[in-house]
Structure formats: structure tokens, C-alpha cells
Amino acid sequence: MRFAVFRKPVSVIYEKPAFTKQSKKGTVSAIADEGLYGMTCQVLGREDGWAHILMFYGYAGYVREENLFFMTETGLRDYLSRELAVVEAGCADVLSLPAVQGVCQMILPGGALVEMVPGQPEVDGYTKVRLLTDRWQSYPPHTGQEQSGRSYAAGRQSGAAAGESRFDLVGYVRTQHLGKKRFGEDFLWREAEPVAAAQETISVRSREAQGGAAGFSLAAVLERFYNGSEGRFREQLEAEARRYMGVQYRWGGKSPQGIDCSGLVCTAYMKSGVLIYRDASIADGFPIRRISREDALAERLKKGDLLYFPGHIAMYIGEGRYIHSTAHIGSGGVVINSLREGEADDRADLRECLYAAGGVR
């Protein structure tokens, strides 16, 4: 298997190896998803400057090769063993110094991953981080020692093969902008071709799918990250979704620059410790289990459960209300609406076509 790490703040992932496609509306973008800095993927193939990839959360697509660092499995496992943090702010500057006057070396979007340099104390509210940049020519050893002016000869011993690269540059990010990485990389180690092929039919089967993933344990997630409290987990889901309030709607988007409906809920679940399907579909093999439409309309739901409409998805946050990213005229982004008929923020058009709900149990 071959693997890669996203090297740019936001990289577009396309449905096919092309930037556009034809539809009833004419020529439109072929965007399917976005990969954020530091995220990982399995590489299924490479041709004509395109890489066919499977994201760590089980979503396939195509990305331009210049957006990726290619690695062997040994190199990737070394990368994932490092102390990675998630950017929680809408964006975070990586500065050359632990001070606001430092030179900005990169701007990372919310949801990106960045490596914290081990053994380095916080300085004036800043955390020292190590970036992937074009300065270095081989994969550095896993140490806290920084070097300058030459490539790491020891890189070959940590998994990089000839022609692969990982580059090293340190900087500083405000500690308050970084949070705990709670998710794993489940789909990196699976046989990827069947997963990618199955993606093509998931949306078709979504109305009948029951959902659920063999071996998934919500209790294990709760024990690891929430001291066993399901309530804390569900509060976290809502808090992660609310970070994107007011962000514009962007088809295929998954960052604070622009986000779509499934990008919002997928990211909120991911940052809370659970990997769910990226599209607005109920998919077997993922940990969301179906809840009936009747139970959803009767509000027999838990905070963080999902609402499914044709081509759209939202997150229930209690008291008949849900948060979602919508392109609806007058909204155009992440907003909160109501399931209750007659309320000022009721979306009757959505309530009437709701076909199911889903949740982790």
C-alpha cells in the first residue's frame, strides 16, 4: 500500500480526475470533498498528475499530486505516532516567533492537523509546532531536535523511500487555537478498492440502508475521551458543529472557508471521535444506525443525531431544532432551523421530505 499526507491548507478532492463535469446546469465543478492540511489518505493509483485516493474516513476521490506528500506505510505510521493536534479556530497563523510580530509561515484552517514538537514548553501562550514544507528533502527522525540548512540523512531509516519527501520547519501557534485529536484513521488499513467501489452505490441504497459498523463501540469512545459520559460526547458534537455557524455554504467544502451539509456533520463527528460517512446518506459499514421518520418528527432523538432528507443532512441539537449548512435562498450557510411546524425558523420544505434519522448507539 502507498499513503500520503495533505500538504496544503485546503485541497480539493474531485469525483473523477477532472476539475469539471457536465450536468443539467451546464459545466459545473467536479468537487466531491476537501482534504485539509495534515490529513491522511491511502493512494489507490497515480496517473497524469492525479492521485486516486481513499480518505482515512472511507471516502474516495481524485486529487492533484502536488497537494500530497507520498509515504510508505512505515513513514505514515511514524507520522501518526507523533503528537498531532487539531486546529479549532476558524484559522490559525503559524508564526516564526512566539509573538504576534512573527512572520506568518502558513495559515491553517479549522480541522487541519499539525504536529506539536515534543518536550517543548508553552511560550507566552504559544505552542511550538513542526510543519510539512518544501524546506527539507527526507523524512526526519522522530525526535524533538531541530536542525537547519541540510536534509535529514536519518530520514531513510524512518520509512521514506527514494523519491518520497517530508520537510521540516518549526513555528508557533496560539495554544488556545489547538485541540485534542480524538479520531483514528480506520480506513487507511482496509482493502481500499472495494470501499471505493461501494461508495458509488451508497447514495442509491441509502433509503434502505440500516447503517451500523461491525465492531464499533460508542462505549469505547466515551471511555477514552469523555470519562464514560454520553452527555459530554453529545454536547461536544453540538459544540463542534456550532464552530461553523455563519460559514458560507460551499458544495463539497469541509473548512471554515466554506462547508456543505455533510461536510459539517462529518467534521463535527470526526473531531468528536467518530468517523461517519461523508455524504448525506445512511451507509452500511459506518456507525450511524437508522431511526424512523416517525421517531424523528416526534422528537424521540438525542442531541447529535442526524436528520436525512433527499440530498441533505442536518444535526439535531434538541428541542426540535437542528443545525445544518444550507444553500437555501436567504440562508446560504450554517444556520439553525426548527422541525416544529409554525415556528419562525421552521423549514416546511425540509420537514415534509424528511425520510429518516440516524444516530450512534
Side-chain angles (χ1 to χ4, degrees), residues 198-278:
Q199 178 180 310
E200 299 177 4
T201 59
I202 283 175
S203 60
V204 176
R205 300 192 308 244
S206 177
R207 296 296 187 93
E208 290 76 37
Q210 294 303 306
F216 173 78
S217 170
L218 177 59
V221 174
L222 300 182
E223 184 63 31
R224 183 175 181 185
F225 299 116
Y226 301 98
N227 292 324
S229 171
E230 184 173 344
R232 288 182 58 188
F233 165 68
R234 294 188 177 279
E235 291 292 339
Q236 184 72 29
L237 286 172
E238 179 182 357
E240 293 294 351
R242 282 183 177 272
R243 290 184 190 277
Y244 297 85
M245 280 292 294
V247 171
Q248 69 169 338
Y249 182 90
R250 175 180 291 168
W251 183 268
K254 200 174 62 185
S255 83
Q257 296 177 13
I259 198 164
D260 68 7
C261 61
S262 56
L264 175 68
V265 299
C266 171
T267 299
Y269 265 84
M270 177 191 73
K271 291 169 69 178
S272 300
V274 178
L275 301 181
I276 68 172
Y277 188 54
R278 166 64 170 91

Side-chain angles (χ1 to χ4, degrees), residues 9-307:
V10 180
S11 300
V12 176
I13 300 171
Y14 296 91
E15 294 178 11
K16 56 183 182 177
F19 300 112
T20 61
K21 64 179 183 177
Q22 295 300 312
S23 76
K24 294 179 180 179
K25 296 181 180 294
T27 301
V28 298
S29 173
I31 183 173
D33 192 10
E34 290 178 337
L36 306 185
Y37 180 90
M39 288 185 172
T40 56
C41 62
Q42 189 178 149
V43 181
L44 310 184
R46 299 170 67 178
E47 186 175 358
D48 296 330
W50 291 93
H52 186 199
I53 64 168
L54 181 76
M55 293 296 288
F56 66 91
Y57 46 82
Y59 200 72
Y62 294 83
V63 65
R64 294 298 299 173
E65 290 185 340
E66 57 264 27
N67 293 301
L68 301 173
F69 282 110
F70 295 95
M71 295 181 179
T72 61
E73 180 174 341
T74 303
L76 186 72
R77 288 186 182 277
D78 180 60
Y79 168 73
L80 292 174
S81 73
R82 296 165 182 249
E83 191 174 358
L84 302 177
V86 179
V87 176
E88 293 192 334
C91 65
D93 292 344
V94 182
L95 303 176
S96 61
L97 301 170
V100 294
Q101 297 88 351
V103 177
C104 184
Q105 301 176 103
M106 183 176 286
I107 302 173
L108 297 177
L113 294 176
V114 64
E115 179 190 343
M116 296 188 291
V117 177
Q120 300 293 313
E122 182 178 321
V123 180
D124 296 331
Y126 286 85
T127 292
K128 193 174 188 179
V129 301
R130 181 184 287 124
L131 291 175
L132 301 160
T133 74
D134 287 340
R135 181 166 295 187
W136 297 95
Q137 293 300 319
S138 62
Y139 201 78
H142 190 175
T143 72
Q145 302 300 313
E146 310 308 329
Q147 302 186 39
S148 61
R150 64 180 181 84
S151 64
Y152 281 90
R156 292 288 176 262
Q157 300 174 5
S158 62
E164 295 183 336
S165 44
R166 180 175 189 261
F167 310 106
D168 203 52
L169 176 71
V170 295
Y172 297 86
V173 176
R174 280 198 178 273
T175 303
Q176 69 192 65
H177 295 334
L178 300 176
K180 185 177 183 65
K181 177 181 179 288
R182 297 183 176 89
F183 56 90
E185 285 75 21
D186 297 8
F187 286 85
L188 287 182
W189 323 116
R190 299 190 188 184
E191 188 179 354
E193 290 290 0
V195 175
Q199 178 180 310
E200 299 177 4
T201 59
I202 283 175
S203 60
V204 176
R205 300 192 308 244
S206 177
R207 296 296 187 93
E208 290 76 37
Q210 294 303 306
F216 173 78
S217 170
L218 177 59
V221 174
L222 300 182
E223 184 63 31
R224 183 175 181 185
F225 299 116
Y226 301 98
N227 292 324
S229 171
E230 184 173 344
R232 288 182 58 188
F233 165 68
R234 294 188 177 279
E235 291 292 339
Q236 184 72 29
L237 286 172
E238 179 182 357
E240 293 294 351
R242 282 183 177 272
R243 290 184 190 277
Y244 297 85
M245 280 292 294
V247 171
Q248 69 169 338
Y249 182 90
R250 175 180 291 168
W251 183 268
K254 200 174 62 185
S255 83
Q257 296 177 13
I259 198 164
D260 68 7
C261 61
S262 56
L264 175 68
V265 299
C266 171
T267 299
Y269 265 84
M270 177 191 73
K271 291 169 69 178
S272 300
V274 178
L275 301 181
I276 68 172
Y277 188 54
R278 166 64 170 91
D279 276 351
S281 302
I282 297 175
D284 293 328
F286 290 82
I288 298 296
R289 296 188 179 276
R290 177 181 287 268
I291 300 169
S292 72
R293 178 179 190 273
E294 292 70 28
D295 282 343
L297 291 176
E299 299 178 23
R300 291 189 285 269
L301 298 172
K302 297 180 180 180
K303 181 177 292 191
D305 285 348
L306 303 178
L307 303 173

